[in-house]
């Protein structure tokens, strides 16, 4: 069953203050799809914060600079323009890998987090997804979701995506990459991937996209109902 978007009138009645939804989770957990669906449903702008780290990595690769070159990485972070993130150009696998390497640089994170917070200050609110949204970027978000799925399920989903786009890959290789990325994202000293204490956990291992969306929408609706009752 596909749920139509909430009508603007209904939302105006229910959402009188900004609504900020923070979504975190590991690579290929489905958080991006969920974030887009929620943003669409609640008529909110959406920022995939992974793209900001990817934009930095892409710039370094493009200019032939080393991923360990902190000064250039920081310079690249200053140049990131949220209005000009080219999802298509940034979606390559090696850009994601490179992004997780530059994402360990604290000063670079500080610069990108400032830009992400500015986005979240939109008067109606916003949906942001990433690794540290509920813990660092928007610790006061109205709703925090932590989306997970087993590494095996995530690897299968990624393989299906690649095949649907006409490509081919080995499941074992994808699984190894996902595990490596998880290790890097959860193990770094600055803003590691972890659920905020007040996040709702959503394990999508055995859920369809539609079921995950309905569960997430229910959590947001409950929050709105409580907010309106108080
Ligand atoms: O989500 P995506 O795969 O596009 O992110 C690429 C990398 O950027 C992640 O593996 C992570 O290292 C980094 N990232 C981050 N904080 C975020 C979003 C992404 O450190 N909020």
């Amino acid at each position: 069953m596909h749920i139509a978007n909430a009508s603007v009138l209904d939302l105006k009645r229910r959402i009188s203050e900004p609504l900020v939804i923070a979504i975190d989770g590991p690579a290929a957990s489905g958080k991006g799809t969920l974030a887009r669906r929620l943003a669409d449903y609640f008529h909110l702008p959406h920022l995939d914060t992974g793209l900001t780290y990817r934009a930095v990595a892409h710039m370094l690769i493009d200019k032939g600079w080393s991923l360990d070159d902190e000064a250039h990485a920081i310079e690249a972070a200053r140049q990131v323009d949220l209005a000009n993130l080219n999802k298509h150009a940034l979606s390559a696998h090696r850009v994601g890998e490179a992004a997780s390497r530059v994402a360990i640089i604290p000063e670079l994170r500080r610069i990108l987090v400032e830009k992400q917070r500015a986005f979240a200050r939109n008067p109606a609110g916003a949906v942001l997804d990433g690794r540290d949204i509920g813990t660092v970027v928007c610790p006061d978000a109205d709703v925090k979701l932590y989306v997970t799925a087993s590494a095996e399920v995530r690897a299968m989903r990624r393989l299906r995506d690649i095949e649907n786009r006409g490509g081919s890959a080995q499941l074992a290789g994808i699984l190894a990459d996902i595990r490596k990325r998880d290790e890097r994202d959860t193990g770094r000293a600055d803003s590691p991937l972890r659920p905020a204490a007040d996040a709702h956990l959503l394990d999508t291992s055995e859920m369809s996209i539609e079921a995950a969306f309905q569960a997430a929408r229910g959590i947001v609706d409950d929050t709105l109902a409580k907010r309106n009752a108080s």
Side-chain angles (χ1 to χ4, degrees):
M1 179 184 54
H2 186 83
I3 296 178
N5 292 351
S7 76
V8 174
L9 251 177
D10 171 51
L11 286 178
K12 274 203 174 133
R13 194 166 44 78
R14 288 193 292 147
I15 311 181
S16 49
E17 293 163 46
L19 173 64
V20 174
I21 304 177
I23 307 183
D24 291 302
S29 57
K31 65 183 185 312
T33 307
L34 202 56
R36 275 191 302 278
R37 289 285 304 270
L38 286 172
D40 204 29
Y41 182 84
F42 288 104
H43 300 276
L44 292 171
H46 165 231
L47 177 64
D48 169 358
T49 61
L51 291 180
T52 62
Y53 293 89
R54 283 172 181 260
V56 171
H58 190 259
M59 218 180 286
L60 291 177
I61 294 169
D62 219 33
K63 301 225 156 125
W65 290 328
S66 157
L67 295 174
D68 302 319
D69 181 343
E70 292 203 6
H72 273 130
I74 289 165
E75 183 49 39
R78 288 205 182 95
Q79 287 178 34
V80 169
D81 175 2
L82 298 193
N84 272 314
L85 293 169
N86 182 342
K87 192 172 162 51
H88 186 70
L90 300 176
S91 67
H93 177 69
R94 71 185 187 120
V95 178
E97 279 295 305
S100 74
R101 285 182 53 192
V102 297
I104 61 169
I105 304 170
E107 175 67 7
L108 176 149
R109 298 197 69 86
R110 201 186 56 73
I111 294 165
L112 294 183
V113 165
E114 268 318 304
K115 294 179 196 243
Q116 295 159 10
R117 284 186 181 144
F119 184 90
R121 283 195 291 272
N122 174 56
V127 179
L128 288 86
D129 74 273
R131 303 292 190 288
D132 59 344
I133 310 302
T135 51
V136 176
V137 180
C138 302
D140 298 325
D142 302 281
V143 183
K144 297 180 186 177
L145 298 172
Y146 189 84
V147 185
T148 54
S150 71
E152 290 76 10
V153 166
R154 287 185 282 134
M156 269 308 294
R157 286 180 187 160
R158 181 125 305 163
L159 178 62
R160 251 183 255 132
D161 278 353
I162 294 170
E163 289 176 348
N164 286 343
R165 278 186 260 122
S168 68
Q170 291 295 319
L171 183 63
I174 299 177
L175 185 57
D177 275 355
I178 279 187
R179 292 213 164 107
K180 196 167 67 193
R181 184 97 77 90
D182 284 357
E183 227 172 85
R184 221 180 266 150
D185 287 348
T186 54
R188 67 175 173 233
D190 188 345
S191 317
L193 168 66
R194 62 178 171 79
D198 51 350
H200 298 267
L201 302 187
L202 205 58
D203 186 332
T204 67
S205 300
E206 315 225 321
M207 275 183 181
S208 65
I209 290 174
E210 194 57 34
F213 166 65
Q214 289 190 36
R217 186 187 62 104
I219 292 167
V220 179
D221 279 340
D222 282 353
T223 304
L224 286 175
K226 278 191 201 128
R227 194 163 86 169
N228 290 337
S230 64

